[in-house]
Each structure stands twice: as C-alpha cells, then as structure tokens.
Amino acid sequence: MTHSRWTIPFHKSLKTKILLEVILAMAVTGTFFFVTTRQNRNFLGRTGRSYETNERLGEISSELLGTEVALENYMSYRTFESIDSYYQHQNLAEAALEEFNIPPSTDSVRLCEYKVYKLSKSFFSYSRKAVIFQRAKNFYVAKENYTLSLECYGILQKEIENLNSLLMERNASLYAANQQSFQKFFKVSTAVILLFSILTTTILYLSLTIIMKPLSNISDVAMRIASMDFEVPLFNSRSEDEVGNICRAFDRMIVSIQAYIDKIWQKVAQENEMKEKEMEMRELYSSAQLRVLQNQINPHFLFNTLNTGAQLAMMEGADKTCYFIEQVADFFRYNIQQKGTAASLEEELSLVDNFVYIMKVRFGDRLEFIKKLPEMADYSVPLPRMILQPLVENCIKYGLKEDKGHVILEVAQTVFETTISISDNGGGMSDEQRHKILEAAAEKTDSQSTVAATGGTTGNSSGTGTGLVNVASRLRLYFRRADVFDIQTNEEGGTSFILKIPRLGKKVV
C-alpha cells in the first residue's frame, strides 16, 4: 500500500467526525435557544396583555369623567372652553367605547361590556340634548336632560366599576395561568438543557476516549522508546483515520529503529575500539611531551634557583628584586606545572597580574595597565589555560609605542556569559590581517592537534599572528563555538580582543 494510492474515506476522518459532532451540537443548541426565546416572548406578551383591558377601561372612565365635568361647567357658566372640552372628551370616549359594541352574551364580562356601551350611548344622548337646549335657551328642557344624563352617568360608573372588577378577576386568572405555564416550561427547559448537556458531554467523552486511547498507547510506546526500550509491540491498527495513520507510521518507525539497532551497536563497538587506540596514542604522546619538557628544564631546579635568588635579595634588603623574582617564579610555575586542561578566570587574571608586573619592571612608566573588574562577578568561570596572558603580551608588544601606551583589561558579566575585553592604544590591525587570523583559527580548529586542543603552551610566538591563531583555535575547540573570540579596532585606532565565555560551559578539571 503506497501513499499515492491510499486515501482516507471522508466519513472516517477524525476532523469530519469532530466537525459533525460540533455542528450537530450547535444546531440542537440553536434550535432549542430559538424555541425557548420565542416561547418566553409569548409568555411575556400574554402576561403584558393581561391587564391591557383594565388600562383601556380606565382610559374610557377618564374620558367619561371629563365629558361629565365639561358638561357641568357648560351648564353652569356656558363658556366656550367648556363646550369645546365637552366635545373633545365625548369624541374620545365614543371612539374608545366602539370595542364594546357587541351583541348581548351570557358571559358576564361580555354582558357587562354591552351594558356599559348602551349606558354610554344614553349618557351621550341626554348630554347632547342638554347642550342643544341650553344653547337654545330652553333651560327647563335642558335641565331635565342634564338631570337624566347625571343619573345615567351614575349608573354607568357603577357598571364600569363592576366591569373593571370582572376584568381584574379574569386577568388575574390569566396571569396565574401564564405564570404556571411559564414555570412549567422553565422546568421542562431546565430538564432538557440538563439532559442535552449530559448527552453532549457523554458523546464528547466517548469520542475523545476513542481518539485518545490509541494516542495514549502511542505515548506509552514513545516513552518506552525514549527509555531505550525498543522491544515494544506493534500497533497493527486497521483504523483508516488520522490516528490509524499515526499508528502505522509508528509501526514503520519502530521497525526501522529495531533494524538500525544492530548497525548502531556495531558502529559503537568500532568507535570504542578506535577511541581506545586514540587514548593509548595520546598517553604515549603526553608521556613523550613530558619527557621532552623535563629534559629541557628541571622545574624543581628552576623553582629552587629562583627561590634562592629571592632569599638572597631579601637578605641584602633588595625588596623590589625579591618581589620581582617571586613574580617570575609564579609565572613559570603556572606555565609548566599545569593541573589540567582548564583554569578559572581568577587564576588567569592572577597570571596576568604577575606578567604585567614583570613587564612594568621592564618598561617602567611607559606601560600603563588598567584593569576594570566588577565587584560581584563570578570569577570561577572556566576557560583554557594561558589564554589572557598571550593577548596582554600582544597588546604590550604591538600597542606600546615610543611614547606612553596603555592596556585595558575589562570584565563584564551577564547571566549567560562573561565578556572579557583586552585593548591597547597602538597602531591597530588591518582588516586583512584580522580576517587572516580568524580564518586560520577556523581552519586550525578543524584539524587541531592534541597539544592545541588540550591547552598546550604557545611558545615564543604568543605575540605574533601564530599566537593569536593558537588562542582563538583553543577557545573554539574548548567551548565548541565560533563566536567565542573576535578582534576589533578601537575608536582611538588600537586593537581590542573580545572573549565571550559562556557561563554554562565546562567545569575546571
């Protein structure tokens, strides 16, 4: 089965399954929300309409009262404002009472509405006659109709109060029924929401369980492989979704890993054999190098001779000479009696102090050495031995002009690295020479000998380009980084050597 011919059926894709479940859940939720919202709106509408009839009846009663008051004012004072108010209230009352224009019914509310309508018509009839005869100055007939209109109005008000009471009872019953229906609907809605939530959660849980079970198995197998346990069973999954693809890919990976195990062990055995031979050669080389150094000079004889000279100078009262000899002895002791491949920054700075003291004795006031060290710095940072002294020597040799020159050694430290800068005020270094030194260091790093890689001494070429190449290549080999050493030109024209020592580097050995 090849990847070009094998396709995943659409209905078996995990993406499709999850998408369909989400769409279904959203559709059901949306439908339920729509139905619930519409039902709540109906309940609120019916509840709000329950007392509309009482409000309309109150408006009618208010207009009838206004009609009666305006009629009374006109009958008493015959003013234009009163007759105008009378007609306005009468028209509004008649328009509002048209909804009560219904035939008689056995229903108490309908029957009462019919009575209100008829009594209103009688009241309007008597009141209009009273106004007409009053305007015609037939006061007797006008007063008679006015009296009848008042009697009719009194009966009408009683019927309106009765109708209002009946409507209140009916509307209270409707409101209670609506509230009961709403509470029932709310309980049903809550039960449906709870049931739907449980159903959705169950479906999602089952779906996730189906999806996560093989993924959990894959995770367990991956952890076993990470623990170097390659004797794991294959999945042999027949599922045609994405998880099935992962299982089959994992099976192929396991088979491939198991197939490469034997090759890897064979290579490891060969490499171990080669390393053992290389270690033997290094031991022989180191022994030969040590014998050569011992044949060149006996360290104990050198130290004893220097100490004897220091004691003689002390006995003769030559304190400066005594201190000078002691500094020279410490300098050679550090160079010859190396404890290992690395030193701490504190040891290298101490060696620089010894060397600078010796150079000051030689050059006097012509040499000014400035050391800028932070107070709270960590000076246990490891780095190869004999790294700083060759750079300081280079600055003194090529940076010291006929007049006074100065060399600055500055240390700056961050959480991740320690930056060491050694600069002079000499004639500087050309870009061509700088590139040659850095390129030579890069080439030498790839083919460095055991002596350079293990921190061998730089010899008498420490102040030359060869010495700088040696320093740069040893730093690159030690820290396995290309940006650990750089050469820059100062603004004053001198040269600066920049060392960026990682703080999480090797430990001193």
Side-chain angles (χ1 to χ4, degrees):
M1 182 179 293
T2 61
H3 291 286
S4 60
R5 297 181 180 179
W6 182 71
T7 58
I8 302 175
F10 182 78
H11 63 282
K12 293 185 178 181
S13 172
L14 285 179
K15 179 180 179 181
T16 303
K17 292 177 182 178
I18 296 175
L19 184 61
L20 289 176
E21 291 177 2
V22 172
I23 291 175
L24 178 60
M26 292 177 63
V28 175
T29 303
T31 302
F32 182 75
F33 178 76
F34 175 76
V35 173
T36 304
T37 303
R38 187 171 181 179
Q39 193 67 21
N40 288 337
R41 186 180 300 172
N42 292 336
F43 283 142
L44 292 175
R46 289 198 299 268
T47 303
R49 290 192 297 270
S50 298
Y51 294 95
E52 287 181 358
T53 54
N54 294 94
E55 294 178 0
R56 290 198 300 272
L57 188 59
E59 293 173 359
I60 293 173
S61 179
S62 177
E63 296 298 333
L64 290 173
L65 177 61
T67 303
E68 192 275 333
V69 172
L71 177 62
E72 182 179 357
N73 290 334
Y74 179 73
M75 295 300 294
S76 300
Y77 307 106
R78 297 185 65 185
T79 61
F80 175 78
E81 289 80 5
S82 60
I83 192 64
D84 183 64
S85 177
Y86 166 77
Y87 283 118
Q88 288 182 0
H89 286 290
Q90 179 187 358
N91 292 331
L92 293 174
E94 284 183 336
L97 284 166
E98 281 301 319
E99 64 177 288
F100 292 164
N101 187 12
I102 55 175
S105 174
T106 56
D107 182 69
S108 58
V109 176
R110 292 291 185 180
L111 181 60
C112 193
E113 288 177 350
Y114 175 76
K115 291 180 181 180
V116 169
Y117 178 75
K118 289 300 183 180
L119 289 170
S120 299
K121 287 295 183 181
S122 299
F123 170 69
F124 293 144
S125 176
Y126 290 131
S127 62
R128 278 194 295 267
K129 289 178 182 181
V131 171
I132 292 172
F133 284 111
Q134 183 73 7
R135 297 180 71 176
K137 297 184 179 181
N138 190 346
F139 301 111
Y140 178 77
V141 178
K143 185 176 182 180
E144 183 179 1
N145 282 281
Y146 175 66
T147 301
L148 292 174
S149 68
L150 291 179
E151 293 177 356
C152 185
Y153 179 75
I155 298 172
L156 177 60
Q157 285 298 109
K158 292 181 179 180
E159 289 297 330
I160 289 176
E161 292 177 0
N162 185 29
L163 177 59
N164 187 51
S165 178
L166 292 174
L167 289 175
M168 286 292 291
E169 293 178 359
R170 187 184 68 177
N171 291 334
S173 300
L174 290 176
Y175 180 80
N178 287 334
Q179 286 295 106
Q180 186 176 5
S181 299
F182 180 78
Q183 292 178 359
K184 183 177 180 181
F185 178 76
F186 178 77
K187 292 180 180 179
V188 173
S189 300
T190 304
V192 171
I193 291 174
L194 182 60
L195 181 62
F196 177 73
S197 300
I198 294 174
L199 180 62
T200 304
T201 304
T202 303
I203 293 174
L204 290 177
Y205 175 78
L206 294 177
S207 300
L208 291 176
T209 300
I210 295 173
I211 295 173
M212 292 302 298
K213 184 176 181 180
L215 292 178
S216 178
N217 295 335
I218 293 173
S219 176
D220 294 338
V221 172
M223 293 301 296
R224 291 179 61 181
I225 293 176
S227 302
M228 306 300 292
D229 180 11
F230 300 104
E231 298 298 328
V232 293
L234 300 179
F235 293 101
N236 296 322
S237 176
R238 297 182 180 180
S239 176
E240 296 182 354
D241 54 15
E242 291 84 352
V243 176
N245 294 341
I246 295 175
C247 291
R248 283 185 287 275
F250 225 87
D251 287 346
R252 289 193 293 270
M253 182 187 70
I254 293 172
V255 172
S256 299
I257 292 175
Q258 292 175 346
Y260 283 116
I261 291 298
D262 295 336
K263 294 182 180 179
I264 292 174
W265 281 114
Q266 291 176 0
K267 290 182 179 180
V268 169
Q270 294 175 357
E271 290 178 358
N272 288 335
E273 185 177 357
M274 293 178 62
K275 287 182 178 179
E276 290 178 358
K277 293 181 179 179
E278 183 179 358
M279 290 178 63
E280 292 178 358
M281 293 179 63
R282 287 185 179 181
E283 290 178 359
L284 293 175
Y285 188 87
S286 298
S287 299
Q289 182 189 24
L290 181 60
R291 286 194 298 271
V292 170
L293 292 175
Q294 289 176 346
N295 291 332
Q296 290 178 351
I297 186 170
N298 190 325
H300 294 287
F301 175 76
L302 175 62
F303 299 149
N304 292 335
T305 301
L306 292 174
N307 289 330
T308 301
Q311 291 176 0
L312 289 175
M314 183 182 299
M315 292 172 61
E316 294 175 357
D319 295 335
K320 292 184 177 179
T321 304
C322 176
Y323 185 73
F324 176 79
I325 296 175
E326 288 177 349
Q327 295 297 309
V328 174
D330 292 340
F331 180 79
F332 279 103
R333 180 183 297 109
Y334 185 87
N335 278 292
I336 297 175
Q337 294 183 346
Q338 297 182 9
K339 299 178 182 179
T341 62
S344 66
L345 177 58
E346 183 179 7
E347 293 174 340
E348 284 291 291
L349 291 174
S350 177
L351 178 66
V352 168
D353 291 338
N354 292 340
F355 178 74
V356 170
Y357 176 80
I358 296 171
M359 292 297 101
K360 277 184 172 291
V361 172
R362 175 182 175 185
F363 293 105
D365 294 336
R366 290 181 56 199
L367 173 61
E368 180 184 8
F369 180 74
I370 302 173
K371 188 165 60 173
K372 300 179 180 180
L373 304 179
E375 295 181 358
M376 302 301 293
D378 179 15
Y379 295 104
S380 63
V381 177
L383 68 165
R385 290 181 178 273
M386 292 297 296
I387 287 295
L388 302 184
Q389 183 271 331
L391 300 179
V392 174
E393 182 179 359
N394 186 281
C395 289
I396 294 175
K397 183 175 182 179
Y398 292 98
L400 191 64
K401 300 178 182 179
E402 294 181 358
D403 54 354
K404 184 176 181 179
H406 63 263
V407 178
I408 301 176
L409 188 152
E410 185 174 1
V411 177
Q413 200 167 70
T414 64
V415 178
F416 302 102
E417 66 181 13
T418 300
T419 302
I420 305 172
S421 172
I422 303 174
S423 59
D424 59 56
N425 63 336
M429 183 183 297
S430 64
D431 291 338
E432 181 180 359
Q433 187 178 5
R434 172 180 174 274
H435 289 306
K436 284 183 178 181
I437 292 174
L438 295 178
E439 290 176 0
E443 293 177 359
K444 191 173 182 180
T445 301
D446 298 333
S447 58
Q448 186 70 289
S449 63
T450 305
V451 177
T454 56
T457 59
T458 61
N460 296 328
S461 62
S462 61
T464 67
T466 304
L468 296 179
V469 171
N470 186 284
V471 170
S473 61
R474 287 195 294 127
L475 285 170
R476 286 168 174 257
L477 283 170
Y478 186 83
F479 293 106
R480 304 183 186 278
R481 286 176 53 172
D483 61 343
V484 72
F485 179 79
D486 192 16
I487 303 174
Q488 298 178 0
T489 301
N490 300 332
E491 296 180 357
E492 301 176 354
T495 303
S496 292
F497 301 105
I498 308 299
L499 283 68
K500 294 183 178 180
I501 308 300
R503 294 200 63 190
L504 302 179
K506 301 179 181 179
K507 296 181 179 180
V508 178
V509 294

